[in-house]
Amino acid sequence: MKKTILLYGVSLALLVLLLKILQYKYLIMDLSVEVYAGVIAIVFTATGIWAGSKLLPPKTKEVMIPIEVAVTDFTLNESALKNSGLSSRELEVLQLMAMGYSNQEIADKIFISISTVKSHVAGIFLKLDAKRRTQAIQKAKELSIIA
């Protein structure tokens, strides 16, 4: 780090020296002040970009990778399932809801229409006495109907 800063300082000093030499020999005699100012701006901009790329740490990008967790010790509570009155199709829809699928994705996955999915979801809410998907999933997990 100190070596890079020292190198940056020396390079700036050499650039200033070079510009002073050019100022006295050529630029003042032949070119206008605007061109001289433009050259100085370009040189210092390029030097600043170079120094910034050397001094600043590279940007890192965080990538989140979803990991599926398998539940192995789940046993279906048959009596709770029977008492809830859920049909096999409603149970299938409930399991897909628990996996996070939307109505459209559930319909595509089990080859039914969206309105049928909505009917099944309404039946699940009624039979599990729930008002929201999360509440229905939570109750089904508590009853050991789904994993």
Side-chain angles (χ1 to χ4, degrees):
M1 184 73 159
K2 290 181 181 182
K3 188 176 180 180
T4 306
I5 293 172
L6 182 64
L7 182 64
Y8 178 67
V10 170
S11 66
L12 284 178
L14 288 174
L15 283 172
V16 169
L17 180 65
L18 178 67
L19 287 173
K20 285 295 180 182
I21 291 170
L22 288 174
Q23 175 187 11
Y24 290 124
K25 288 190 174 185
Y26 301 108
L27 288 177
I28 296 298
M29 291 183 220
D30 294 337
L31 301 174
S32 68
V33 177
E34 290 82 15
V35 173
Y36 177 65
V39 169
I40 291 174
I42 290 171
V43 169
F44 279 98
T45 301
T47 306
I49 292 171
W50 172 80
S53 69
K54 296 295 179 187
L55 294 176
L56 295 176
K59 291 184 180 180
T60 58
K61 187 175 184 181
E62 284 188 33
V63 178
M64 295 187 70
I65 301 172
I67 299 174
E68 290 188 27
V69 178
V71 179
T72 56
D73 60 346
F74 173 73
T75 54
L76 179 65
N77 187 347
E78 296 283 341
S79 63
L81 179 60
K82 202 175 259 190
N83 290 340
S84 69
L86 290 173
S87 67
S88 59
R89 192 58 126 176
E90 287 172 335
L91 179 62
E92 189 177 5
V93 170
L94 181 61
Q95 289 170 337
L96 292 172
M97 279 174 33
M99 290 179 180
Y101 289 108
S102 67
N103 287 346
Q104 181 64 56
E105 292 169 328
I106 293 170
D108 293 341
K109 196 155 189 78
I110 59 176
F111 306 107
I112 58 176
S113 69
I114 296 176
S115 61
T116 306
V117 172
K118 290 179 182 178
S119 298
H120 288 312
V121 170
I124 292 167
F125 288 172
L126 182 66
K127 292 174 183 175
L128 292 179
D129 191 31
K131 294 181 179 150
R132 296 179 305 277
R133 284 176 174 244
T134 54
Q135 191 178 16
I137 293 166
Q138 184 62 35
K139 285 188 178 185
K141 286 181 178 182
E142 288 170 1
L143 294 171
S144 294
I145 296 174
I146 59 172

